[in-house]
Amino acid sequence: MSRRAGPLPSVDEVMRGEIGRVAVARFGHDAALGAVRGALDGLRVRLRTTGDDDPPPPDRATAAVLAAEAALARLEADDAPRLRRVHNLTGTVLHTNLGRAVLAEAAVEAAAAAMRHPAALEFDLDGGGRGERDDAVRGLLCELTGAEDACLVNNNAAAVLLVLNTLAQGRETVVSRGELIEIGGAFRMPEIMARAGTRLREVGTTNRTHLRDYEGAVGPDTGLLMKVHTSNYLVQGFTAEVSTQALAAIGRERGVPVVDDLGSGTLVDLSRYGLRRERTVQDAVADGADLVTFSGDKLLGGPQAGFIVGRRDLVRACAKNPIKRAVRLDKIRLAALEATLRLYRDPDRLPATLPTLRFLTRPVEELRGLAERLGPVIAGAVGAGWSVASADCASQIGSGALPLETIPSHGLAIEPAGRGASGGAVEALAAAFRRLPVPVIGRIEKGALRFDLRCLEDVDGFAGQLARLVVPAEAAVP
Ligand SMILES: *Cc1c(COP(=O)(O)O)cnc(C)c1O
């Protein structure tokens, strides 16, 4: 049995009310009107389905306030940014799903200035004529890498695509079977090759590829010899691979260019900061690769970008390819990139100036102190149903740099205090942390929600919002 609802207020009444006027002032008349109509429809449906046991329907004035409140809440929810800032406590410093590198202050400022003002992007300030887009960073890149020339694109996937298409379209590209990588999503080397119009010529086997394999494959149809960094896996055991140096020697002898796709690519010897050494871009250039490709937002710590550095004639050919126009960089990222690269001129200060390196080199002692400070605050926020413990953990660089390498780290482990808690309780708690104003992203492992504190610098911002944590009821009661 349903009961007839009392008369609902008109759209106009709701709009003219106090909250309705706030909605109009903040979101504009049209948006507010749409939201109010929606709210009144919702109210109408709710009242129609009200049963005899439910409380009596609101009077007209109350209904107008309810509708206005619902409309305003709806408008606010719709207006909240979808691309949300988060706290990355996953332990993966360069987390692709969380946007990889956090930019240096200098890069942020440069990007903001490029957004606010016109910039001489393709304008030669000396001659007053047309300039070249990549000029701003070309010199710096050559200086830092030892390469003859450089060209910039949207990301490393684009760099690889551009190189393959420019140098090997309609011809063969020779790659070791052990290096036919898939890097998440749709980036699979064989597919990129197909799209670039080059024929994949696999050589060797999954675990072993020899010089003679490459030598045997090179013929009149060969456009390119390619070496690919096995970014997210390691071939271990009975293995053999051919160095860039050896590959470059074959390339020179047979007149075939050699490209080395480094993936992450770093410009500094990481061992000087106590990390495992990763082959640098300078190494690849010095080893004789004709072209080297790498990313801007992985270990380099800049904005998303792809680099092609190396032999001038080949870089120029890439720059002239019409595809370059489709994958070029915008002025905002060019500005951020230039500022980031400039920091590399002073490698001693990099752990202070470049967030990626700052995170990677943060002493574990500092993280222990942080865990001690934050443990009680988190314990207070999650309540008595949970135990919060300081815990050792292991961070990863992420984004395909040193895939099996971990960095000793420290954080907090939160698990149900009572024994009867269901497996879903930890997931529910993780979801509650994700619903905070600045969502906190941790990791669930061995029955606990784990926060690696390596990337947490905004400690006050993190702790200050914990009072707003709404702990799922099931877990609150042990
Ligand atoms: C990450 C990676 C890419 C793709 O680089 P993006 O900058 O993500 O486009 C290509 N090749 C290798 C070896 C990589 O590790």
Side-chain angles (χ1 to χ4, degrees):
M1 284 291 281
S2 76
R3 198 164 43 183
R4 269 189 64 81
L8 278 176
S10 69
V11 170
D12 206 41
E13 272 172 271
V14 180
M15 295 283 283
R16 274 189 280 109
E18 198 179 325
I19 301 170
R21 290 203 307 273
V22 169
V24 172
R26 283 181 56 195
F27 298 100
H29 180 270
D30 292 358
L33 185 67
V36 165
R37 281 201 178 119
L40 282 174
D41 286 346
L43 209 55
R44 193 170 295 119
V45 170
R46 224 174 71 210
L47 292 177
R48 207 182 292 139
T49 54
T50 299
D52 286 339
D53 298 336
D54 292 314
D59 59 50
R60 192 172 172 124
T62 309
V65 172
L66 287 177
E69 279 174 352
L72 185 59
R74 183 54 195 267
L75 288 164
E76 280 172 344
D78 278 352
D79 198 47
R82 290 292 184 276
L83 183 59
R84 305 265 303 275
R85 176 198 162 182
V86 299
H87 286 292
N88 173 13
L89 305 193
T90 60
T92 301
V93 176
L94 296 166
H95 200 301
T96 296
N97 304 138
L98 302 181
R100 292 191 184 160
V102 170
L103 296 204
E105 265 324 299
V108 173
E109 276 166 32
M115 284 191 268
R116 266 192 203 105
H117 311 290
L121 181 62
E122 292 186 359
F123 187 84
D124 173 15
L125 288 172
D126 291 329
R130 207 185 129 84
E132 267 198 64
R133 177 172 291 254
D134 295 347
D135 276 352
V137 287
R138 182 185 294 134
L140 203 47
L141 264 173
C142 293
E143 170 194 321
L144 293 169
T145 62
E148 243 173 42
D149 207 344
C151 144
L152 290 123
V153 289
N154 179 60
N155 56 9
N156 191 31
V160 170
L161 177 75
L162 186 59
V163 167
L164 291 170
N165 179 264
T166 306
L167 302 178
Q169 188 183 25
R171 308 173 75 189
E172 284 182 353
T173 297
V174 183
V175 191
S176 159
R177 282 211 167 80
E179 297 174 1
L180 288 172
I181 56 167
E182 170 181 316
I183 303 185
F187 190 87
R188 305 175 96 184
M189 205 43 93
E191 282 159 32
I192 292 284
M193 291 203 177
R195 294 297 171 125
T198 182
R199 290 193 304 280
L200 167 62
R201 176 76 185 264
E202 297 175 46
V203 295
T205 59
T206 306
N207 56 328
R208 289 170 73 81
T209 303
H210 306 282
L211 206 52
R212 60 173 183 274
D213 295 323
Y214 288 99
E215 281 169 339
V218 177
D221 242 12
T222 312
L224 203 55
L225 292 171
M226 186 175 202
K227 187 146 182 68
V228 185
H229 185 275
T230 55
S231 294
N232 43 14
Y233 65 98
L234 212 61
V235 183
Q236 266 180 331
F238 185 54
T239 64
E241 65 170 318
V242 176
S243 68
T244 298
Q245 247 167 333
L247 215 52
I250 306 177
R252 270 194 308 274
E253 195 187 301
R254 306 286 192 92
V256 180
V258 173
V259 58
D260 196 341
D261 176 24
L262 285 184
S264 195
T266 174
L267 297 174
V268 282
D269 176 356
L270 294 173
S271 68
R272 70 186 283 169
Y273 310 107
L275 298 164
R276 250 281 287 279
R277 192 176 197 289
E278 169 96 316
R279 194 154 157 264
T280 64
V281 177
Q282 296 89 315
D283 292 337
V285 171
D287 285 346
D290 295 295
L291 291 178
V292 183
T293 56
F294 55 104
S295 284
D297 57 351
K298 293 185 179 175
L299 266 176
L300 194 131
Q304 181 188 299
F307 300 87
I308 303 168
V309 305
R311 239 171 72 186
R312 174 153 300 134
D313 57 330
L314 303 180
V315 171
R316 291 287 95 204
C318 290
K320 282 206 203 88
N321 186 329
I323 290 177
K324 164 69 161 71
R325 175 65 178 73
V327 294
R328 72 183 185 186
L329 272 189
D330 60 284
K331 64 170 180 171
I332 304 164
R333 284 188 290 155
L334 264 171
L337 207 49
E338 184 188 5
T340 306
L341 289 172
R342 223 173 267 291
L343 300 175
Y344 279 86
R345 281 185 166 156
D346 188 357
D348 291 333
R349 290 183 55 216
L350 267 185
T353 54
L354 195 72
T356 299
L357 206 55
R358 193 163 74 227
F359 295 148
L360 290 173
T361 57
R362 226 168 152 191
V364 73
E365 269 319 307
E366 185 186 322
L367 303 176
R368 276 210 188 90
L370 197 51
E372 241 155 68
R373 216 175 111 200
L374 286 175
V377 188
I378 293 179
V382 294
W386 297 88
S387 84
V388 179
S390 180
D392 284 333
C393 55
S395 308
Q396 291 186 320
I397 297 179
S399 288
L402 303 170
L404 299 190
E405 193 79 358
T406 57
I407 306 168
S409 189
H410 203 83
L412 291 156
I414 313 168
E415 50 195 334
R419 260 166 295 147
S422 79
V426 177
E427 270 86 7
L429 185 70
F433 273 98
R434 289 198 304 269
R435 279 194 296 270
L436 283 168
V438 179
V440 175
I441 319 290
R443 206 156 40 92
I444 294 174
E445 205 185 275
K446 292 192 221 122
L449 173 60
R450 292 167 192 275
F451 292 152
D452 183 329
L453 298 176
R454 178 166 295 283
C455 297
L456 181 65
E457 287 189 325
D458 177 15
V459 179
D460 293 341
F462 171 80
Q465 64 169 0
L466 288 180
R468 297 179 64 173
L469 186 75
V470 180
V471 180
E474 184 206 9
V477 189

